[in-house]
């Protein structure tokens, strides 16, 4: 029994050189040129979505600067500085999470440490992750150091929210915008990792994992890790199928999406809602159903407009089924369905009853453009003619107040205390019987 913990795929296959970095060619080329020409800046701002390589690139830059063969765009990964940086034990590379170290005291400590020369490497690299989490005073304290850093220091700030970083910080840094990684690139990387891990994964499953990652390679590798654990009980060489990915992630099965589209094309709102009811009973999240059905409709929309080449391989492999569905619905209905589902996804995020929002959207889609009403329209009953006798008589004018009674004055006095009562008294008929005033 080994005492070493399992190392997840995202960490095990983290890029160890710029050549391994996926989907960020514009960043890689600029940094490699800067290293080759000795034009490395002292402050960088890496901005972009999660899981696309910002922190990894920062570590690669630190490794390139401190490699014994460097500065070089191709660190050797064999020398002590390279191994220490890769293992996270280098004294010359400090990583700080601004989400949990956002106060001014932490930045003051950082400023004191910046004055010290590197322990053994060529440059001291300070990586501040999620830098937008720093407080306003912390940014003010950091600004002076960024303006006049020591010659041996390099700052790399990483953030997913660049608009929350003050403009004064932006102006002191070279900015690099990291992009979401294309599904095709993620799929290729997943296939390479699966091969090296001895996993047998069908192409459709890789496509689904890549799409589930939404442009984040790290998230996609974590999904692959999870799915591999799911099928591990079946044997070391168990084949990972698309159905296993759908089961683990709670994705809408392809066959069920086809069935819902057929119901919508037939104008069968009741049948479509019955499919939704079964999915919810089986534990599917209505929000995920809405997203997956929206993506399916989008594929049909693009397919119907001749955009087949822009669709993933997993979609193009089903061109026969998609062509038939796209032809049945037509571009106009597909556009309306895509708009309705997109709006419903946004509304479901704010609703206390997201399932109802989806149900209404499905009923609307089923009833548009097919010539079949999704919900029978109830005709309003005809308004019966009012017989002459039923016409109300003109309001009777109140009778005059009895002689000796100043009725307007009484109403005026009552109005001071009870205006509503005064309104009733003003229109009332008044009669004096003995010593009593009757209305």
């Amino acid at each position: 029994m080994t005492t070493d913990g399992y190392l997840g795929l995202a960490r095990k296959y983290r890029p160890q050189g710029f050549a391994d970095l996926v989907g960020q060619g514009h960043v890689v080329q600029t940094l490699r040129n800067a290293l080759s020409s000795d034009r490395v800046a002292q402050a960088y701002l890496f901005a972009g979505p999660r899981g696309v390589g910002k922190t990894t690139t920062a570590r690669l830059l630190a490794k390139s600067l401190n490699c014994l063969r460097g500065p070089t765009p191709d660190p050797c990964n064999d020398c002590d500085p390279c191994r220490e940086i890769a293992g996270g034990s280098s004294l010359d590379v400090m990583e700080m999470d601004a989400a949990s170290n956002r106060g001014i005291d932490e930045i003051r400590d950082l400023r004191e440490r910046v004055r010290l020369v590197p322990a053994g490497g060529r440059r001291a690299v300070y990586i501040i992750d999620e830098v937008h989490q720093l407080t306003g005073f912390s940014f003010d304290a950091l600004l002076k150091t960024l303006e006049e850093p020591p010659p041996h220091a390099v700052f790399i700030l990483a953030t997913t929210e660049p608009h929350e970083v003050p403009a004064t910080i932006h102006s002191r840094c070279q900015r690099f915008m990291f992009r979401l990684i294309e599904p095709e690139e993620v799929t290729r990387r997943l296939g390479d990792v699966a091969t090296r891990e001895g996993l047998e994964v069908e192409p459709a499953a890789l496509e689904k994992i890549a799409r589930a990652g939404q442009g984040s390679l790290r998230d996609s590798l974590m999904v692959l890790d999870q799915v591999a654990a799911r099928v591990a009980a079946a044997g070391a060489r168990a084949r990972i199928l698309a159905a296993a990915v759908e089961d683990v992630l709670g994705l809408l099965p392809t066959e069920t999406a086809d069935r819902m589209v057929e119901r919508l094309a037939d104008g069968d709102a009741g049948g479509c809602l019955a499919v939704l009811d079964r999915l919810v009973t089986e534990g599917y999240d209505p929000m995920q159903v809405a997203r997956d059905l929206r993506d399916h409709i989008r594929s049909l929309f693009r397919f119907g407009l001749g955009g087949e080449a822009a669709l993933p391989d997993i979609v193009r492999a089903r061109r026969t089924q998609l062509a038939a569905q796209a032809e049945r619905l037509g571009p106009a209905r597909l556009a309306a369905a895509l708009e309705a589902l997109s709006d419903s996804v946004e509304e479901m995020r704010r609703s206390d009853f997201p399932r109802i929002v989806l149900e209404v959207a499905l009923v609307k889609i089923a009833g548009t453009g097919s010539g079949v009403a999704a919900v029978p329209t109830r005709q309003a009953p005809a308004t019966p003619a009012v017989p002459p006798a039923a016409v109300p008589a003109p309001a009777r004018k109140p009778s005059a107040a009895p002689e000796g009674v100043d009725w307007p004055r009484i109403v005026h006095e009552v109005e001071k205390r009870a205006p509503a009562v005064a309104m009733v008294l003003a229109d009332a008929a008044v009669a004096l019987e003995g010593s009593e005033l009757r209305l």
Side-chain angles (χ1 to χ4, degrees):
M1 179 178 178
T2 180
T3 58
D4 295 335
Y6 174 73
L7 190 63
L9 297 181
R11 292 183 59 193
K12 184 176 181 179
Y13 293 99
R14 172 171 280 164
Q16 296 302 316
F18 286 115
D20 300 328
L21 204 60
V22 178
Q24 309 300 337
H26 61 296
V27 176
V28 169
Q29 187 61 49
T30 304
L31 291 178
R32 288 179 65 90
N33 292 343
L35 288 163
S36 298
S37 59
D38 196 21
R39 299 178 66 88
V40 177
Q42 289 197 270
Y44 291 94
L45 178 63
F46 292 170
R50 70 182 191 280
V52 295
K54 298 185 298 297
T55 306
T56 296
T57 304
R59 293 175 180 173
L60 291 178
L61 181 57
K63 189 187 297 184
S64 297
L65 289 171
N66 286 312
C67 177
L68 293 182
R69 294 170 49 187
T72 172
D74 299 300
C76 67
N77 289 320
D78 291 327
C79 63
D80 289 340
C82 283
R83 287 199 299 267
E84 290 172 357
I85 293 173
S89 60
S90 175
L91 297 178
D92 294 327
V93 178
M94 175 186 174
E95 292 191 34
M96 178 178 129
D97 177 23
S100 53
N101 299 278
R102 60 196 307 262
I104 192 171
D105 291 336
E106 287 82 359
I107 299 301
R108 284 173 176 165
D109 292 340
L110 176 64
R111 292 179 59 183
E112 293 297 323
R113 178 169 176 170
V114 167
R115 299 177 183 176
L116 304 177
V117 297
R122 191 174 293 104
R123 305 291 286 273
V125 180
Y126 300 90
I127 303 172
I128 306 179
D129 203 5
E130 299 299 332
V131 70
H132 64 274
Q133 298 275 15
L134 292 179
T135 64
F137 291 116
S138 299
F139 275 123
D140 292 341
L142 180 63
L143 182 61
K144 182 64 176 177
T145 303
L146 291 180
E147 285 179 336
E148 299 176 0
H152 60 265
V154 174
F155 287 89
I156 305 175
L157 317 181
T159 178
T160 56
E161 307 289 343
H163 57 279
E164 295 186 9
V165 178
T168 50
I169 300 295
H170 276 272
S171 65
R172 271 76 176 178
C173 301
Q174 285 191 14
R175 287 168 287 177
F176 289 87
M177 297 302 298
F178 286 67
R179 304 165 182 165
L180 290 172
I181 306 173
E182 293 295 329
E184 292 77 13
E185 294 180 293
V186 176
T187 302
R188 284 194 295 270
R189 180 62 173 169
L190 291 175
D192 178 60
V193 170
T195 300
R196 295 164 69 178
E197 284 291 301
L199 299 173
E200 188 177 356
V201 189
E202 71 170 350
L206 290 176
E207 292 270 0
K208 283 187 175 293
I209 294 173
R211 294 175 69 183
Q214 298 180 341
S216 168
L217 180 56
R218 181 183 63 205
D219 290 2
S220 297
L221 285 170
M222 293 182 70
V223 172
L224 177 62
D225 220 347
Q226 185 178 357
V227 176
R230 164 73 168 74
V231 302
R237 293 293 298 177
R239 182 175 172 83
I240 298 177
L241 305 177
V245 179
E246 294 171 350
D247 184 41
V248 169
L249 298 180
L251 302 177
L252 182 65
T254 302
E255 297 78 9
T256 305
D258 290 338
R259 192 156 54 248
M260 294 186 78
V261 169
E262 292 297 327
R263 300 288 189 276
L264 293 174
D266 292 338
D268 183 7
C272 194
L273 294 182
V275 176
L276 177 62
D277 292 341
R278 181 178 60 79
L279 289 171
V280 174
T281 302
E282 293 176 357
Y284 286 87
D285 179 17
M287 174 68 83
Q288 189 63 49
V289 173
R291 289 197 190 102
D292 292 343
L293 187 58
R294 176 199 59 190
D295 294 342
H296 186 83
I297 294 292
R298 177 181 176 271
S299 297
L300 295 178
F301 182 67
R302 294 291 300 272
F303 198 95
L305 294 178
E308 177 183 351
L311 297 176
D313 293 338
I314 187 176
V315 176
R316 294 199 297 271
R318 302 179 58 246
R319 57 175 53 86
T320 303
Q321 299 97 312
L322 296 180
Q325 292 177 10
E327 184 177 358
R328 286 198 62 190
L329 288 165
R333 270 192 89 185
L334 286 172
L338 184 57
E339 182 178 12
L341 286 171
S342 298
D343 292 344
S344 69
V345 169
E346 292 299 320
E347 188 176 351
M348 289 170 76
R349 292 193 179 100
R350 303 185 297 270
S351 175
D352 294 330
F353 304 98
R355 179 177 173 179
I356 295 177
V357 176
L358 178 57
E359 290 175 343
V360 172
L362 293 176
V363 170
K364 289 180 178 178
I365 295 170
T368 56
S370 63
V372 181
V375 179
T377 304
R378 179 178 297 178
Q379 298 293 334
T383 304
V386 180
V391 177
R396 185 183 61 173
K397 294 182 180 180
S399 58
E403 186 177 353
V405 177
D406 190 354
W407 185 244
R409 182 180 177 183
I410 295 175
V411 172
H412 178 69
E413 293 298 327
V414 173
E415 187 179 14
K416 296 178 181 178
R417 297 176 179 270
V421 176
M423 292 178 62
V424 176
L425 295 179
D427 296 331
V430 186
L432 183 62
E433 296 182 1
S435 59
E436 294 181 353
L437 191 63
R438 292 185 175 275
L439 305 180

